[in-house]
Amino acid sequence: MPDSRVPRLRRFLVCEPRHFAVQYSINPWMHPDTPVDVDLAREQWQALIRAYRDHGHTVETVEPVAALPDMVFAANCALVLGGRVLGSLFHAPERRPESTAYDAWFEGAGYEVHRAESVCEGEGDLVPAGRFLLAGTGFRTTREAHRQAQEFFGVPVISLQLVDPRFYHMDTALFVLDDGEDGNIAYYPEAFSPGSRAVLARLYPDAVIATREDALAFGLNSVSDGRHVFISSRAKELADQLDRQGYVPVPLDLSEFQKAGGGIKCCTQELRP
Ligand SMILES: CN(C)C(=N)NCCC[C@H](N)C(=O)O
């Protein structure tokens, strides 16, 4: 494979894990009795931000709020596409107040926020992929929210059914490698219903397929700029596959965040112009 993958520089919004903790359980990864190493979490998050900046990406930050331990997972607050913001309506009451803080950031940055009317968790389940918007449902974001996203963005939505509670957001089971018109994805088929698997196989015959082990190591909760793939350092086989396909894996360890059911992508909201 030639060394020809071209990165597209991105603008990201992130939230420092100053108040990060596992205080409640709203997904199978969260066990409030398991302690989080707050200092290690901060170091891991800072390494992620450094890696983005070292690769030329712009990183903006939203001020964290003390009573919102999951606010670090910026990807879930909205989907920003074509400069338009579809603000989330969180499933869990514990996360709903995050919207106020994120809306304030978006409004201060000159965006107008259009609020989802049905449960919708932003980039956790809505994944722009070239000419389509891939949209997960089953645990959080509803099919009604998919319909609203299609109406709001005017991009064809492909609804995909998630079936395994450990992969409760679609961005735990699938990520976009390059988002050009004929872009490609990586995913873990077992996280999807048989029909949705068939849809993915039809749309992406050359997709990179992750092993169960790499999926459970949050290897698919990755961020790609089209060349560099910021990926969990524990997803070794997936990183090797990507390397063979001409991508450049940038391994990062976000193990503390996995205790809350999150990883690299969850911590990263992309601001798409
Ligand atoms: C890849 N994932 C799962 C995300 N995009 N977000 C992480 C959210 C974690 C939070 N405790 C929750 O359960 O909502």
Side-chain angles (χ1 to χ4, degrees):
M1 178 65 61
D3 187 30
S4 60
R5 306 264 179 210
V6 182
R8 184 170 63 73
L9 293 184
R10 315 284 165 131
R11 190 167 158 235
F12 296 133
L13 176 64
V14 299
C15 179
E16 192 197 323
R18 207 182 303 155
H19 308 294
F20 173 59
V22 179
Q23 291 172 350
Y24 47 79
S25 180
I26 55 170
N27 71 55
W29 301 90
M30 298 177 86
H31 304 290
D33 296 341
T34 309
V36 169
D37 183 333
V38 178
D39 292 334
L40 179 57
R42 195 167 301 138
E43 279 166 32
Q44 292 177 339
W45 184 86
Q46 280 162 352
L48 172 66
I49 305 310
R50 254 195 325 273
Y52 285 150
R53 291 192 168 130
D54 287 351
H55 288 83
H57 303 295
T58 301
V59 182
E60 316 244 7
T61 54
V62 58
E63 187 62 17
V65 175
L68 300 174
D70 271 337
M71 198 177 154
V72 64
F73 300 118
N76 305 147
C77 74
L79 171 65
V80 185
L81 189 57
R84 308 190 79 206
V85 182
L86 181 64
S88 295
L89 177 58
F90 283 94
H91 180 254
E94 291 90 338
R95 295 201 67 185
R96 290 206 168 166
E98 291 180 31
S99 292
T100 309
Y102 277 106
D103 286 4
W105 185 91
F106 280 118
E107 280 154 18
Y111 294 92
E112 193 184 324
V113 179
H114 178 92
R115 171 83 34 231
E117 287 157 26
S118 183
V119 167
C120 183
E121 297 207 347
E123 288 192 296
D125 283 317
L126 301 178
V127 177
R131 72 189 100 150
F132 300 118
L133 179 57
L134 303 180
T137 190
F139 301 100
R140 302 281 178 97
T141 301
T142 62
R143 282 186 189 262
E144 172 56 18
H146 294 181
R147 193 195 61 74
Q148 286 170 21
Q150 174 164 287
E151 214 42 47
F152 181 63
F153 292 112
V155 175
V157 166
I158 308 286
S159 287
L160 299 164
Q161 185 73 37
L162 296 164
V163 295
D164 181 333
R166 275 164 303 184
F167 304 105
Y168 61 95
H169 271 153
M170 196 175 68
D171 71 354
T172 58
L174 176 153
F175 76 99
V176 174
L177 283 162
D178 49 82
D179 53 11
E181 285 286 289
D182 293 310
N184 201 10
I185 63 168
Y187 69 104
Y188 173 56
E190 306 296 313
F192 296 89
S193 68
S196 297
R197 266 181 243 169
V199 169
L200 288 170
R202 191 180 283 261
L203 288 178
Y204 301 102
D206 300 323
V208 174
I209 303 297
T211 62
R212 179 168 193 76
E213 207 184 351
D214 284 345
L216 287 170
F218 273 44
L220 292 161
N221 197 237
S222 294
V223 170
S224 169
D225 64 16
R227 175 176 173 79
H228 310 102
V229 181
F230 303 88
I231 186 169
S232 162
S233 50
R234 288 167 301 125
K236 298 210 185 305
E237 207 174 313
L238 182 55
D240 287 348
Q241 282 194 71
L242 295 173
D243 180 57
R244 285 196 294 276
Q245 302 242 351
Y247 295 96
V248 181
V250 179
L252 291 152
D253 181 11
L254 260 71
S255 57
E256 286 312 291
F257 296 93
Q258 194 161 342
K259 294 175 179 170
I264 292 170
K265 173 58 206 166
C266 308
C267 293
T268 313
Q269 168 70 228
E270 184 171 344
L271 304 169
R272 298 175 185 80

